[in-house]
Amino acid sequence: MGSYRTTPTPPPMSLPPATEVLIVGAGPTGLTCALGLSKRGIPFVIIDAVAAGHNESRAVVVHSCTLETLGAIDESLAHTISADGIRSPTLTALDAKQRVLFRVQFDKLADRTKYPYCVLCPQHRVEKHLRQGLGRHEVYWGRRVVSLQEVHGRYEVVFDSGEVVAARYVVGADGNNSTIRTLAGIRLDHPFTKVPLDPISPKDALSFVVADVLFENPLPEALPKDALTLVLSDAGVIIPLPVPAEEGDEAGNPRRRIYFAVADIPPSKPDLHYLQGLLETRQANAPPAGGQPIPRITRVLDSGRFRTGLALAETYICSATSGTAHILLAGDAAHRHGPGGGQGMNLGICDAAALAEAIAEHHSAMACLTDSRKAAAREEIFSRYEQRRMAVAREVIFVAEEMAKVEKPAPGWAGWVRTNLLWLLLKIPAVNQMAAWRLSGMKYV
Ligand SMILES: Cc1cc2nc3c(=O)[nH]c(=O)nc-3n(C[C@H](O)[C@H](O)[C@H](O)COP(=O)(O)OP(=O)(O)OC[C@H]3O[C@@H](n4cnc5c(N)ncnc54)[C@H](O)[C@@H]3O)c2cc1C
């Protein structure tokens, strides 16, 4: 994915030689950290390796906890994002006959959040709003971190451009294959067994295909254009998410974003033939008396593949030997998991907001504490950040894994048992409420 080049490449600006906080990565995590620091008046510089204002567009689902978190930084930002996407008050799963299997009701959270829905707003649009929220603070594009070292109680970060920036805090918001994490020597572990994992073993890696497509005819009524709905067939899940129209889209033929988990390694740019094949395989086992079939794909507007596994950084913090400079991880740099439940971008944004708060607290503590108390303050403030966000990451990874199991092919009896068990369980109001509570992330706010 990644044809949404909405921002022209800005003219190169030179990087300042020093700053308090250097944020590496201008994806949703880095941008949110920048917003949190800007609100608190902490000087920072944000950079990204890519040349233009664009990150590969992947995520779509923005949950209530993310809107609450962004709203606490800037209420208008949360409103802008929810107005720019499609608000879905429910997540509905259909069976192969397109009968409602279960419906997770985010609208039942109305007494706990101002945003009792999830918003289907593609990641590139969320990032655009976050960048606009930064106002005069621009991202320095086209700067790839290649190394870093401790010099005079600061980290000096070196870029492929040859520029060097010294910073007291370096935020690693540089995604899945984080250079900052690697340079800091922070290992990735299995989130539950804690067995060291880096690099991802092929055995644990999962492959996914994502594409924005047009269909021949409107989708069946059971798959409305204003709600998050998926179809659980025995041969695997079909997720045709409604997404807002992009510039140049034909009126009356709305795009859908489809996701497929695949067993083999998919082509790097899945084409119409490949995607149609996946769709047909998943519909093949639907009983003839079942609902209306999903029509043929007529155009692929954008497509991509991604591969991920389960992982959690062994720590989110690495401090320089002097104790006066710190590397802090957030977002995909700190954790990896599949896209089940649409959690990754949300987790990164919420990590980043908490990290901005921790850095601001640490920054002001350093200005007023005696040397002997500074080390203790560092321990306490950053450990609190790490413990809290690691615990949330473990829970979110667990939920994403449970969702992935639900979405896996389950032929014959296994499929029948799964379908009926889910139907039964989610009929229990407390279980349904708990599912909404966890998926929306409101459990962790
Ligand atoms: C196909 C797919 C579907 C997904 N669906 C969902 C979903 O529905 N909901 C959801 O919440 N999440 C979803 N996710 C996950 C979501 O996209 C990620 O969790 C999210 O992008 C993480 O944000 P981030 O800012 O931490 O990292 P990224 O978005 O990866 O941003 C990292 C940035 O760091 C930059 N960078 C990397 N290395 C360097 C370097 N050495 N120097 C300088 N800059 C560097 C990169 O250019 C990039 O811009 C999905 C992911 C994929 C792949």
Side-chain angles (χ1 to χ4, degrees):
M1 302 288 280
S3 60
Y4 303 108
R5 292 179 185 273
T6 48
T7 317
T9 309
M13 311 175 274
S14 355
L15 281 167
T19 181
E20 276 301 285
V21 188
L22 176 70
I23 303 171
V24 180
T29 303
L31 290 167
T32 305
C33 187
L35 280 165
L37 293 173
S38 163
K39 183 188 168 187
R40 294 173 176 88
I42 309 289
F44 67 89
V45 165
I46 176 165
I47 63 94
D48 199 289
V50 296
H54 122 112
N55 185 10
E56 285 209 328
S57 179
R58 294 168 295 190
V60 182
V61 187
V62 181
H63 286 294
S64 321
C65 70
T66 307
L67 294 168
E68 289 285 350
T69 300
L70 291 174
I73 299 175
D74 174 356
E75 184 135 20
S76 68
L77 188 57
H79 288 301
T80 306
I81 293 173
S82 45
D84 191 34
I86 296 167
R87 292 181 191 184
S88 178
T90 53
L91 179 160
T92 304
L94 307 175
D95 67 8
K97 290 184 181 174
Q98 293 172 16
R99 295 171 306 197
V100 175
L101 190 55
F102 64 82
R103 182 165 279 148
V104 177
Q105 294 201 260
F106 301 121
D107 50 357
K108 291 263 168 80
L109 300 175
D111 55 341
R112 299 164 189 238
T113 171
K114 281 180 271 175
Y115 314 98
Y117 43 78
C118 66
V119 179
L120 301 170
C121 184
Q123 185 169 333
H124 70 281
R125 293 167 85 123
V126 173
E127 288 177 8
K128 184 186 81 185
H129 297 309
L130 296 175
R131 283 198 301 271
Q132 282 170 352
L134 275 176
R136 64 185 175 84
H137 292 288
E138 289 214 33
V139 176
Y140 290 81
W141 299 107
R143 298 329 199 276
R144 181 174 294 279
V145 171
V146 288
S147 68
L148 62 76
Q149 61 207 358
E150 183 184 350
V151 179
H152 306 309
R154 295 283 180 275
Y155 279 115
E156 279 194 357
V157 179
V158 183
F159 296 87
D160 56 356
S161 57
E163 292 161 297
V164 178
V165 175
R168 188 198 296 264
Y169 308 93
V170 177
V171 173
D174 50 345
N176 237 296
N177 298 313
S178 169
T179 306
I180 297 299
R181 188 188 65 232
T182 307
L183 293 172
I186 299 174
R187 204 184 57 219
L188 285 179
D189 290 341
H190 188 283
F192 307 121
T193 63
K194 303 195 179 161
V195 172
L197 272 187
D198 215 7
I200 308 181
S201 104
K203 179 171 71 65
D204 295 327
L206 314 160
S207 288
F208 298 89
V209 166
V210 57
D212 277 10
V213 300
L214 299 181
F215 288 99
E216 195 167 33
N217 297 309
L219 292 193
E221 269 172 33
L223 291 160
K225 55 179 185 300
D226 56 359
L228 173 49
T229 314
L230 41 100
V231 184
L232 293 176
S233 89
D234 292 359
V237 70
I238 306 170
I239 313 179
L241 294 180
V243 283
E246 295 292 335
E247 216 179 288
D249 280 5
E250 288 168 39
N253 194 358
R255 66 169 65 209
R256 292 273 184 156
R257 181 161 297 180
I258 49 174
Y259 288 97
F260 294 110
V262 290
D264 304 324
I265 298 186
S268 57
K269 219 54 191 143
D271 61 10
L272 195 149
H273 178 73
Y274 180 84
L275 294 165
Q276 183 62 33
L278 292 177
L279 189 61
E280 277 166 20
T281 314
R282 278 158 175 75
Q283 296 205 90
N285 293 347
Q292 236 181 303
I294 295 178
R296 291 186 61 78
I297 297 169
T298 52
R299 231 175 110 197
V300 179
L301 302 166
D302 197 7
S303 69
R305 66 171 177 197
F306 66 107
R307 199 163 161 78
T308 187
L310 299 188
L312 187 61
E314 58 174 322
T315 173
Y316 285 15
I317 316 160
C318 166
S319 293
T321 47
S322 62
T324 53
H326 314 281
I327 292 172
L328 301 142
L329 301 184
D332 275 15
H335 34 69
R336 284 177 182 161
H337 54 82
Q343 299 290 326
M345 175 168 68
N346 295 278
L347 188 55
I349 288 178
C350 297
D351 279 353
L355 180 55
E357 195 179 329
I359 292 174
E361 192 185 340
H362 188 270
H363 187 261
S364 66
M366 292 306 103
C368 58
L369 292 181
T370 58
D371 279 355
S372 60
R373 295 195 49 206
K374 280 181 184 171
R378 181 190 74 225
E379 279 295 309
E380 197 206 308
I381 296 166
F382 289 144
S383 297
R384 222 186 307 131
Y385 163 72
E386 178 183 75
Q387 281 169 18
R388 175 80 191 120
R389 294 312 302 171
M390 263 193 178
V392 173
R394 278 205 184 87
E395 285 209 33
V396 167
I397 294 172
F398 176 80
V399 170
E401 274 307 278
E402 291 304 298
M403 287 295 289
K405 282 185 204 153
V406 168
E407 293 169 2
K408 264 192 179 153
W413 273 101
W416 187 88
V417 171
R418 179 183 70 182
T419 305
N420 285 286
L421 202 61
L422 281 170
W423 174 79
L424 202 64
L425 275 175
L426 282 134
K427 277 232 164 299
I428 305 169
V431 176
N432 197 298
Q433 180 100 358
M434 180 47 78
W437 192 231
R438 291 190 83 151
L439 280 175
S440 66
M442 288 306 297
K443 180 167 186 263
Y444 319 114
V445 173

